[in-house]
Each structure stands twice: as C-alpha cells, then as structure tokens.
Amino acid sequence: MPRRSRDDDRSTAARHADTRTRGAAPRFLKITGIVLAIVLTSALAVVAFVVVDLVNRMGDGAVTLEDAPEVEPPTIDAYPGEFSMLIIGTDECGEVSTGLLGERCSEADGGVLNDVNLLVHVSAEPRNVTVVSFPRDLMMSTPECTLADGSVASATDYSAINEIYQRAGLSCVAKSVTDLTGIEIPFAAKIGFDGVMEVTDAIGGVEVCIGGEGIRDEQTGIDWPAGMRSVSGIEALQFIRTRHGVGDGSDLARISNQQQYMSRLVQKIMSDEVLTDPAKLLGLANTVVDNIEPSDELSNPIRLAQLALSVKDVPFSDFAFLQYPVFVDPDDEDRRVPDYDAAETIWAALRAGQAVQITGDVTTNEGVELVDPAPGTEETPEGETPSTDAPATRAPLAPSVSGQTADQETCANGRQN
C-alpha cells in the first residue's frame, strides 16, 4: 500500500483545523442570536404586559362625552391635526388627602366641585399649545345634558361653572365649555386632590418661585418664606390651592399662581431629567392612569402617548397659559360673568391655528409678579430700544386677557394672611 507523503499529512491536518475554526463562528453567532431573541422577546413581553395593564386600568369607568366630535383610533404617531382637551380639577379627597387634610375632608358636605377648569388646545403644524383657565365663580348658561344612567339634567340660564360636575358630571362640563367657547372637545379628564399630589411626586417635584412677603395662609396651612421652593405631595396641593396667601386673596389671583405652577410643571416634564428616565416615565404613566377619570376616547394609554408626541417639540414660547376674561357680575360682586368680546380674540386665534400674543398683564388681581428678564431672553444693550414686534403669525389678544408663556418666569406675589 503506498505511503502518504508528509505534504499529504500536513494538508489533511490543515483542513481539519480550518473546519474546526469555521464551525466555531456559526455556533457562537447562533448562540448570540438566541440570547438576543430571548432578550427582545422578554422586553416585548414586558412592554405588552404594561400596555395591556394600563389599557385595562384606564378604561375602567371611562366617560362618554355627549356630542363630542369623532376621532380616529389611536396610533403610535403624533395626533394628526388640531385637538382640544378639557381637564377639570375637583375638590375631591382621596385616601391620601383625607389622611393629610383631616377636617377639610371629613367636614365636606359630600358635593364634588370642579374648581379648576382648563381647556387645552393644540394646533396643527406648526404646533402651539394654549391653556385657558376658567374662574370657578364664572356664571354661565349650561345646556341640557344626558347623564350616564340615561336621565337628563335640565339646561340652565345662570349657573356657576364649578357646580356643573356635581350636578351633571364630566360630560356636561365639556358640553357646557364647548357651548361657551365654540371649541369642540373630543377628550376630557378629571383629577382630584390625590392625583395632583401623586403626579408631582412621580416627576420628583416642581420648583416654584415665591415672591413678595412669602406666603402665609392659615386656610391651606402654608407659612413659607420668599424664594425658590421644590414642592411635591401635600405641598404641591397647598401651593395650587392657596388663595388668601397670594395677590389680593381672590380666586383670580389664585389662577395666576396656578399658571406659574403649570408652566413650571411643563418645563419639568419636558426636561431631560424626566424624558430620558424610563423609570420616571413609567411611574408618571402609572400615576396618571390611577388618578384620572378619563373620557372614553382618552382611555387608551396609546392615545395619551399619541397626544404627548404632538407637543413634545413645542417651544416654551408657544405654550401659553391664559385666564378667561371676565367682568364682575352686576348681581353679585363675588361672582364673574363672561367678557365675550375679549374672549373671542382667544377663540379666533385657536380656530386659525395661530400662536397667541399676550398684550395684557401676566396676572389679574396681583397673583404673580414677572421676573425680569425672563429666562432665555437677552437684556437689551444700553442705549437700544427693546423690540415690541411680535412674529407675524401670532394673534394679538385683547388687553384684558392676562396670562404667561412657559418661557416667562413668574413668582407668586406672596402675602401674609
């Protein structure tokens, strides 16, 4: 039998070595692929579980808005076009606030008032956001409303806006605001005392500014010095509820202070501190779901994400917080009635999709004071006259419409009650 040459031996050994090398790489890639597939599948399973859990919890008890416009099903893209949302804050005590506020909750007469009423409007591209606050003592007519049980709440000619929820529910508040403003409302939500506290906690608190003499208000239990203060939990609720501790002690002064809080809340939520922190975002989503009573078209967390995507790139200069203009009620000096002509300048801007130009003061009734210069602005060089020209796309509002934009810094005009 012929003997193989050394070259043949070397050739065979080399082929075996090559075979082993080539076989190791595919095995490694195969294992890596399996690991990645497991990781991705697990991540998707977690996301799916979270979404399903949020959907189930949020859809529980959702409210159908009577005569609301139809909207397309939610998608993972920004909402197409403009939309409006009504957010009401009630004086309703939950488990947490009952334990903290004691007599304030135990002595309540059982009625639930919608003391905070916000109409949030987001324009189509280019996006801008306008938030209109309605005074709780605003007297207005209300339409006939169908209740959840099929019964009907009669129309009224003269009712306080903050009594509508107690009498006829969230849908009727939305329907009444639509009648007053001419702005259709497809989405609405209600939040109580516990929700305010827990939302602020979920994002790690909101830093607010206290000016004047500091705030001392026995009714809300505040005795705070002037300066910056990070509020969360009960302190956040105390800050937005204080009336006697700011301005002239009126509800209109309180609204201006609430607008400072909302402006700083928007800045915090849209900051990298929150947006780049998945744990905080998930915590915020859970908190919102657990603490709001949504309308049915808002009862899907994907819808919430869709609406959030619509405003994520709006500059702070195009976030406007306005106070609905009013007159003193000639029949009751403690009540207010609409200033329809001034308000029409707001609704005309919203219908046109324009950002607004606030020509009035940042406040009524001395609720806040403007910090000068506002953050993000440059001081005018000595000898030059500052420009007062507004961009051509902005719609000037009536001088009686007060408010601020999110790029303006205001401080509570504190007083000692």
Side-chain angles (χ1 to χ4, degrees):
M1 183 175 183
R3 184 178 176 182
R4 291 180 301 176
S5 68
R6 292 179 180 178
D7 290 342
D8 289 338
D9 289 340
R10 285 195 298 271
S11 175
T12 301
R15 283 198 299 272
H16 287 172
D18 288 344
T19 300
R20 287 194 298 272
T21 303
R22 286 195 300 270
R27 283 198 298 275
F28 172 77
L29 292 175
K30 185 176 181 180
I31 293 171
T32 302
I34 291 172
V35 171
L36 287 174
I38 292 172
V39 170
L40 289 173
T41 301
S42 300
L44 289 174
V46 170
V47 171
F49 173 79
V50 169
V51 170
V52 171
D53 178 56
L54 292 175
V55 168
N56 290 336
R57 284 156 52 205
M58 195 167 183
D60 211 19
V63 175
T64 299
L65 298 183
E66 186 179 6
D67 296 341
E70 292 186 4
V71 293
E72 295 294 326
T75 65
I76 311 177
D77 300 312
Y79 190 84
E82 65 175 351
F83 64 89
S84 294
M85 182 191 308
L86 178 75
I87 301 174
I88 68 170
T90 65
D91 63 351
E92 191 173 8
C93 290
E95 182 179 350
V96 177
S97 49
T98 297
L100 293 171
L101 299 179
E103 291 183 3
R104 163 61 184 78
C105 296
S106 62
E107 294 180 358
D109 59 10
V112 177
L113 301 177
N114 51 300
D115 281 341
V116 176
N117 301 275
L118 307 172
L119 177 61
V120 182
H121 180 82
V122 179
S123 71
E125 297 289 351
R127 299 285 190 181
N128 60 73
V129 182
T130 305
V131 183
V132 183
S133 298
F134 298 88
R136 68 172 188 169
D137 295 323
L138 176 66
M139 305 304 293
M140 56 188 285
S141 61
T142 63
E144 180 179 277
C145 295
T146 303
L147 307 187
D149 61 4
S151 61
V152 175
S154 301
T156 68
D157 293 326
Y158 183 77
S159 297
I161 190 173
N162 74 331
E163 296 174 355
I164 301 175
Y165 180 82
Q166 175 180 285
R167 181 171 59 85
L170 177 63
S171 175
C172 196
V173 182
K175 190 175 180 181
S176 299
V177 171
T178 290
D179 275 13
L180 175 66
T181 64
I183 304 297
E184 291 188 317
I185 301 173
F187 311 113
K190 180 218 56 157
I191 188 168
F193 283 171
D194 280 16
V196 171
M197 292 189 288
E198 294 188 16
V199 165
T200 314
D201 282 347
I203 61 172
V206 175
E207 190 174 50
V208 297
C209 179
I210 301 170
E213 304 171 350
I215 298 175
R216 186 170 64 203
D217 181 359
E218 294 180 359
Q219 278 76 4
T220 50
I222 293 179
D223 189 2
W224 299 342
M228 301 301 295
R229 186 182 188 95
S230 180
V231 297
S232 58
I234 184 62
E235 286 197 349
L237 182 63
Q238 289 172 310
F239 185 75
I240 65 172
R241 287 187 62 229
T242 185
R243 173 165 67 91
H244 300 287
V246 293
D248 64 358
S250 68
D251 182 55
L252 299 181
R254 169 164 53 189
I255 287 177
S256 295
N257 194 46
Q258 289 171 345
Q259 290 177 334
Q260 182 213 163
Y261 172 84
M262 289 188 290
S263 175
R264 294 176 183 275
L265 178 68
V266 165
Q267 293 178 33
K268 181 64 177 285
I269 290 176
M270 297 181 71
S271 69
D272 289 342
E273 182 180 343
V274 175
L275 289 182
T276 60
D277 188 333
K280 276 188 178 177
L281 287 176
L282 181 58
L284 180 59
N286 274 291
T287 299
V288 169
V289 167
D290 287 339
N291 287 281
I292 70 168
E293 173 187 309
S295 63
D296 51 7
E297 291 292 355
L298 196 64
S299 62
N300 187 319
I302 296 176
R303 174 75 77 194
L304 286 179
Q306 183 185 30
L307 301 183
L309 285 172
S310 302
V311 302
K312 70 180 183 67
D313 294 324
V314 176
F316 290 152
S317 59
D318 286 338
F319 264 92
F321 300 91
L322 311 176
Q323 187 170 147
Y324 183 78
V326 294
F327 297 119
V328 174
D329 186 340
D331 297 323
D332 185 345
E333 65 178 12
D334 292 328
R335 302 285 191 177
R336 299 294 181 267
V337 293
D339 180 348
Y340 293 107
D341 290 341
E344 178 56 28
T345 63
I346 301 175
W347 316 137
L350 301 194
R351 289 192 296 267
Q354 291 179 288
V356 298
Q357 178 193 354
I358 302 171
T359 63
D361 199 351
V362 293
T363 182
T364 58
N365 301 71
E366 303 173 344
V368 295
E369 53 193 20
L370 182 64
V371 176
D372 187 28
T377 62
E378 297 181 2
E379 294 189 47
T380 303
E382 187 175 351
E384 292 187 17
T385 303
S387 173
T388 57
D389 294 336
T393 56
R394 293 188 181 277
L397 303 179
S400 57
V401 179
S402 68
Q404 70 172 84
T405 54
D407 67 339
Q408 291 179 300
E409 184 174 354
T410 58
C411 294
N413 187 12
R415 67 195 292 262
Q416 304 291 303
N417 174 41

